[in-house]
Amino acid sequence: MFGVRSARGRAIGASLTLLLFLVSVAIVATLRTQSDRSQREALEQRAAVVAALENARAQFYRGATLLTAAVFAEDAVPFIDSYRQAQEVGDSSLEKARSGLIAIGETDQIAALDSFAEQMGQVREDVDAVLVFSVTADRPTRVEVGLQYYPQMWPRIEAMMGDLGALSSEQQAELVAAGAAADRASHTTLALLIGFSMFAFLGGAATLSVLVVSVVRPLASLQESARAVASGNLEARAKVAGPEEVASLARDFNEMTDTLVERSALLEESEGRFRNVLEVSRDLTYKLNLQTRTYDYVSPSALRLTGFTFEELTDMGLRGTDSRVHPDDLKQYKVSPDKLSSPTSQPGPASTIEYRWKCKDGEYRWFSDNRALIRDEDGQPLATVGTIRDITEWKLAEEALRESGERLRSLFEAMTEGVILIAPDGQIVQANPAAEHILGLRRSQIEGRSYVSPEWEILRPDGTPMPPEEMAGSRAMKEKRLVKDVVMGVKRPDGQVAWINVSAAPLINQADELEAVVGTFADISDRKAAEEALRESEARYRGIFESIQDIFYRTDAVGIITEISPSIERFGYTREALIGTQVLEVYEDPEERSRLLKALLEQGDVADHEIRLKTGDGRLISTSVSAHILRGPDGTPIGIEGILRDISDRKAAEEALREQARRDPLTGVLNHGAIVDEMRSLISAGEDATPWAVAMIDVDHLKVMNDTYGHQAGDAMLVAVATALSRDDALVGRYGGDEFVAILRGADRAAAENYRKEATDALVGATVTDPQTGESVPVEASIGLAIYPEDGSTLADLIKVSDSAMYAAKRQRPVRRPSPRKHAPDRKAA
């Protein structure tokens, strides 16, 4: 064997010699192990049978105890459910015991176990018959039945438990005997294995000791050289000796060492270049050790940025550097390491923060800190690396820019001319207060609207529509030049036309691209009105007058209608019939006319003032009037002129929204807040002479319904109860999740009892159908009454009395719960 040059050949020879010894040991071990395994498997099977029998016995005893508790408990349902669960566990344990007996071939024991299961089935049939009665019976009846039935049942159960205990004891005895036999077999097997193993060990040791001399010694020499290189001695080289494979490995090691020497030189050169970059960089680079909370590295630029040297910063540590952060910036400065996540030892995603830091000269300077976290292989934070840049000058410039922007904003807001900023897509993105005043719109109505939108109703000076291409903004945008003094009219929401003189200038960037258009306009309505008064004819005025949709009117100083537009026909009048009549004739309340006159005299004009008027067919409508006082040459009031607009639809919509906010979205009745407000209003009215009633209603079994059939079925039950409670003489509201309150105005106790009877009768036969099983579940509710002021004069007293009465009524009702779905076990398993 030692004449072989290759280490592989030598190893193969030694391995074959050792293999002969090991094969003999393996054969003996395999035969004995198979025998022991069979015994152990039979032992485990018998132990499982004993455990299953004991568990079944315990569960059947527990079930019998739960049956007794169900008889004497106020609510038998939880104990019955636990009894059935115990029976299911006991049956499962019996089935496991039977499977174990089949596996170990205990035929007699299987027959005994089957006989026990048959007896248990007979007992369970008798128990189930009693359980059906116990669910619906009251407690005294259950106790009476239990005292009659249990003395007959317990002897049977005790006898059966005795049989099951005897069967378990027999199996335990056999288990002990089988365990002893298995231990003896294990000891024998262990003795054989020890003997054969010692023989194989001695033979293998002799063979391997010879192999060490020719193979292991050269490997030890190679390892010694590797350790020398690892410790930094790059001059160390391995001795080429031993078998061919070991000699080849030594030559490869020497070549890798030579390569390592070359690359170390290149690395030192690269590190030198990087160090030079850091030394001349204006930014500060650092590495903070999170274990020692000191700085492992700080670039030389720290002295220029902060005035501190690397040694001073190292002595200062993390606590010292943190203490120099401006107090107002501590919150953003102290970023938790968990927010700088990194799964490896490489730096994770960077987080940039800005803060002020007190330098050595005592001055605070702004720094931008771009930091990242390094973690170890277990994900624990090791260090923080980052770069810091001085951004003080940039911050000062930013502050100056902000102050300049504020000054421009103040000028923008204070200008008497309207100013708008138009984006390249034509959208108005900004407007000043003067623009709101001139156009008669709020800023939110102006901004976001296209300046060429038809909503504007832009007019030429002659009154014809102005096309978009003639507008100053369009021309400035297209021609990229200043466009001045374009006169146009803009129709205001109040129907008036605001005549404006518009100039527009494009904002062009360095790439000759349009960024925006600035439009300025002055209100020249007064000048335009004077011009129009000189050249407009009565025919043109009449055409406009007769075409407006709102109603224009004019009265004299005593309220006689002197002019009104034809659109009054929308109110059921003719223009001719109203001219010359007193305006009070169309008012529903003369006081509203007085309030309007007072506002006009105090303010000179009103806008969107709401009044109620009568139509020609006697209906009442809500209108909005915008009017002003007409004055003579000497300033004396000579009449009123204004615009009327029908806002009935708007008022109806507002009322509908208010009513909707008071309603429960599911049932349509009043919500909690609304029904409580109604009761408080009745109490605060002090109607002591007129009684009224409160009915508190609770939907029975709603939670069980939701848990059994789902919330859709529970919602259907709530709707059914709300429908049954709703009457012409009852104001119904949802008080809580499963509770309603009904207010019965003017109802004494007899009337309230009659309402309770009608509501209860309405629920007779009412059901909710489960969409999965098609099963119909009855809808039931309990109702309690309280009479004001007989049962209480405060809201709390009435609620308390009616709530107590409701629970008293609930206790008098027979307990009926929705039965579970037929397929509930399958759904629960899924």
Side-chain angles (χ1 to χ4, degrees), residues 45 99 182 231 247 254 266 288 354 376 385 463 516 605-606 634 675 751:
Q45 288 284 358
S99 300
S231 63
N254 291 337
L266 293 175
L288 174 64
E354 297 177 356
D376 60 16
V385 295
D605 60 69
V606 296
D634 58 353
I675 195 66

Side-chain angles (χ1 to χ4, degrees), residues 745-760:
R745 288 191 176 94
D748 55 12
R749 190 169 298 279
E753 290 290 350
N754 185 57
Y755 170 80
R756 173 160 60 181
K757 182 178 182 304
E758 291 179 354
T760 303

Side-chain angles (χ1 to χ4, degrees), residues 484-504:
K484 300 175 63 177
D485 299 329
V486 177
V487 177
M488 62 186 190
V490 181
K491 201 166 187 179
R492 295 163 53 101
D494 60 3
Q496 300 295 321
V497 176
W499 289 99
I500 55 178
N501 188 321
V502 184
S503 296

Side-chain angles (χ1 to χ4, degrees), residues 237-395:
R237 296 294 184 271
K239 181 179 179 181
V240 180
E244 182 60 30
E245 291 85 352
V246 178
S248 176
L249 182 62
R251 286 191 292 271
D252 293 342
F253 173 79
N254 291 337
E255 291 177 1
M256 287 189 297
T257 304
D258 295 337
T259 303
L260 178 62
V261 171
E262 296 175 359
R263 294 188 177 180
S264 296
L266 293 175
L267 180 60
E268 290 180 359
E269 181 180 356
S270 175
E271 288 180 347
R273 289 196 298 268
F274 179 68
R275 188 177 299 108
N276 292 334
V277 171
L278 292 179
E279 290 177 354
V280 300
S281 174
R282 296 179 60 86
D283 295 341
L284 184 155
T285 304
Y286 67 90
K287 180 179 180 182
L288 174 64
N289 190 321
L290 296 178
Q291 307 299 321
T292 63
R293 302 181 70 81
T294 58
Y295 291 92
D296 292 342
Y297 175 77
V298 178
S299 64
S301 55
L303 181 61
R304 180 181 55 80
L305 262 65
T306 68
F308 292 104
T309 64
F310 167 70
E311 292 76 11
E312 289 174 328
L313 291 174
T314 302
D315 293 340
M316 191 183 301
L318 182 61
R319 181 183 299 274
T321 55
D322 286 356
S323 66
R324 304 185 75 85
V325 176
H326 195 283
D328 295 342
D329 302 332
L330 282 174
K331 183 176 182 181
Q332 63 265 30
Y333 172 78
K334 292 187 176 180
V335 178
S336 172
D338 295 337
K339 297 183 179 179
L340 303 174
S341 59
S342 175
T344 67
S345 61
Q346 298 299 319
S351 172
T352 301
I353 58 174
E354 297 177 356
Y355 54 88
R356 286 162 290 181
W357 199 80
K358 190 175 183 180
C359 297
K360 192 173 184 178
D361 59 5
E363 178 187 358
Y364 278 103
R365 299 193 66 82
W366 277 99
F367 290 144
S368 173
D369 189 348
N370 189 2
R371 60 178 68 170
L373 187 67
I374 296 178
R375 297 178 183 271
D376 60 16
E377 295 179 353
D378 297 329
Q380 298 300 316
L382 288 178
T384 300
V385 295
T387 58
I388 295 177
R389 175 170 296 178
D390 189 342
I391 59 170
T392 304
E393 300 301 328
W394 179 81
K395 280 289 186 179

Side-chain angles (χ1 to χ4, degrees), residues 631-652:
R631 298 184 182 274
D634 58 353
T636 304
I638 61 173
I640 296 175
E641 190 178 71
I643 299 285
L644 282 173
R645 177 173 294 176
D646 185 357
I647 60 171
S648 299
D649 292 341
R650 188 183 78 187
K651 299 295 286 186

Side-chain angles (χ1 to χ4, degrees), residues 44-152:
E44 291 173 358
Q45 288 284 358
R46 194 174 299 278
V49 169
V50 171
L53 290 173
E54 287 298 322
N55 186 44
R57 184 183 179 194
Q59 291 298 325
F60 291 143
Y61 264 124
R62 178 171 174 262
T65 304
L66 288 170
L67 283 177
T68 304
V71 170
F72 297 98
E74 291 291 342
D75 186 0
V77 173
F79 293 98
I80 293 174
D81 291 342
S82 298
Y83 159 76
R84 288 173 174 161
Q85 183 181 4
Q87 294 301 302
E88 291 177 1
V89 175
D91 291 343
S92 176
S93 299
L94 285 180
E95 185 60 32
K96 290 180 181 178
R98 190 177 190 277
S99 300
L101 291 173
I102 292 175
I104 61 179
E106 295 285 350
T107 307
D108 296 339
Q109 302 292 343
I110 293 173
L113 192 62
D114 289 342
S115 175
F116 175 82
E118 182 178 356
Q119 295 176 28
M120 179 56 70
Q122 295 174 359
V123 171
R124 193 173 297 166
E125 289 178 0
D126 297 339
V127 170
D128 288 343
V130 176
L131 288 181
V132 173
F133 173 76
S134 297
V135 173
T136 57
D138 56 13
R139 182 173 174 272
T141 304
R142 294 199 307 270
V143 171
E144 181 179 355
V145 172
L147 293 175
Q148 294 177 0
Y149 174 72
Y150 282 6
Q152 303 173 14

